Amino acid sequence: VDWSNNTIDFSYYVDSRDKKPKTRKLMSGLTEHVINTGKSLLLNDKSYDKFIKKNNIKIRGTKCKNWLGVPLKLTNGKTIGMICVQSYQNDNKFNSADQKTFDLISNQIAMAIKRKRDDIFIHQQAHYDQLTGLTNKALFYDRLEHSILQAERQDEVIAVLFIDIDDFKIINDTMGHTAGDQLLIIIANLIKSTVRKSDTVSRWGGDEFSILLPAIKSIDGVKKLCERLLYDKFNNIILNDKKLCITASIGISLYP
């Protein structure tokens, strides 16, 4: 569950009758009931219809005979998701013992998910720019070193572009720092959309960006990339309903 956007996403989903649901807003389903109450729920063919009617639950997908949902809760009591199992046949029923087992398992799964999320967050903080989401200097240097070794082994040529946005201070002074941050995000996305997936785009700091281009075929291709950025992408930026023509300086370095 994403509480900031009030959405749920079915990261893992296997069902013999229904397709994997798409990410959706929190509604009034059984899944949402478990998430909102933070309590496990066991329903069989006798209690199922009665519970649905009493709690105004809207069923999505094929109706089942047996349903067990258990919240994923952290030690501070916050619900971060849920686990559900359901059966379409009466001869495969879950009981209170299953419910207790799932409650125990769910606590460990919730903590494992939290540890994974924390690891991802720490990695993001260490290797990515917090404003633009681009790689930072540390990760750029790491990928550059790897690309140099690869170029030596494969007898390839790599290129590094260094981009400096001209007169960026004027944007901050005339439109404000929030607009300046928005412009940096726009520029970052424009650069990413222009290069190959195998290329690395980094925010060097302030209004400076760098691009690592491994295994280039010709310097002409690199120059054309610079021209697309300077004379096409940067000349058609809309910020706060205003069209901006951004200019920049680009330096190119090759290895070997």
Side-chain angles (χ1 to χ4, degrees):
V1 58
D2 179 356
W3 289 113
S4 60
N5 294 308
N6 285 322
T7 58
I8 51 175
D9 178 67
F10 298 82
S11 308
Y12 178 81
Y13 191 89
V14 175
D15 194 288
S16 61
R17 306 285 180 89
D18 300 324
K19 295 180 180 179
K20 178 180 177 178
K22 296 180 180 179
T23 300
R24 69 166 188 249
K25 289 287 185 181
L26 287 168
M27 297 181 181
S28 57
L30 287 172
T31 297
E32 288 90 337
H33 182 86
V34 172
I35 289 174
N36 286 321
T37 62
K39 297 179 181 179
S40 58
L41 177 65
L42 175 63
L43 299 174
N44 55 40
D45 57 332
K46 294 181 180 178
S47 61
Y48 190 91
D49 289 333
K50 185 177 180 181
F51 184 88
I52 297 298
K53 185 176 181 181
K54 180 180 178 182
N55 293 275
N56 295 317
I57 301 294
K58 184 177 180 181
I59 298 300
R60 294 170 180 80
T62 306
K63 180 181 176 181
C64 64
K65 296 288 187 179
N66 204 218
W67 196 90
L68 173 59
V70 180
L72 293 170
K73 299 177 74 172
L74 302 178
T75 52
N76 62 4
K78 181 180 180 180
T79 300
I80 62 171
M82 62 91 71
I83 306 174
C84 163
V85 289
Q86 60 186 21
S87 172
Y88 298 106
Q89 298 175 341
N90 276 322
D91 58 355
N92 186 18
K93 288 190 175 183
F94 310 112
N95 53 41
S96 56
D98 298 321
Q99 189 173 1
K100 290 180 181 179
T101 301
F102 261 68
D103 279 327
L104 291 172
I105 293 172
S106 68
N107 292 334
Q108 297 183 42
I109 292 177
M111 291 310 299
I113 291 173
K114 184 180 185 301
R115 283 195 297 271
K116 184 67 175 178
R117 285 181 173 177
D118 288 346
D119 288 343
I120 292 173
F121 177 75
I122 291 171
H123 179 77
Q124 288 281 348
Q125 290 284 94
H127 295 101
Y128 291 88
D129 176 60
Q130 299 308 299
L131 176 64
T132 63
L134 298 178
T135 61
N136 61 13
K137 280 185 184 180
L139 186 54
F140 185 88
Y141 274 126
D142 183 69
R143 293 186 179 178
L144 176 59
E145 184 177 349
H146 176 79
S147 293
I148 289 174
L149 293 174
Q150 181 76 6
E152 291 174 344
R153 284 195 297 264
Q154 303 294 332
D155 193 24
E156 296 173 341
V157 177
I158 65 174
V160 172
L161 309 185
F162 195 87
I163 305 173
D164 183 16
I165 307 301
D166 298 333
D167 301 319
F168 185 79
K169 186 175 182 296
I170 295 176
I171 299 293
N172 283 332
D173 291 343
T174 59
M175 301 181 69
H177 288 277
T178 299
D181 286 347
Q182 291 173 346
L183 177 58
L184 290 173
I185 294 171
I186 292 171
I187 290 173
N189 290 330
L190 287 175
I191 297 173
K192 281 186 68 175
S193 67
T194 307
V195 301
R196 303 167 299 181
K197 288 185 178 181
S198 59
D199 301 331
T200 296
V201 181
S202 170
R203 184 184 176 203
W204 206 252
D207 58 354
E208 298 172 335
F209 298 85
S210 57
I211 307 174
L212 171 61
L213 304 170
I216 64 169
K217 295 181 179 180
S218 70
I219 185 63
D220 287 338
V222 178
K223 290 179 179 177
K224 288 179 180 177
L225 169 62
C226 294
E227 289 171 357
R228 281 203 304 274
L229 289 173
L230 291 174
Y231 307 123
D232 180 18
K233 300 293 184 177
F234 292 172
N235 275 346
N236 295 283
I237 294 177
I238 304 297
L239 178 64
N240 295 340
D241 296 325
K242 294 180 180 179
K243 182 177 179 180
L244 302 179
C245 294
I246 302 299
T247 61
S249 305
I250 303 181
I252 305 173
S253 179
L254 302 177
Y255 180 88

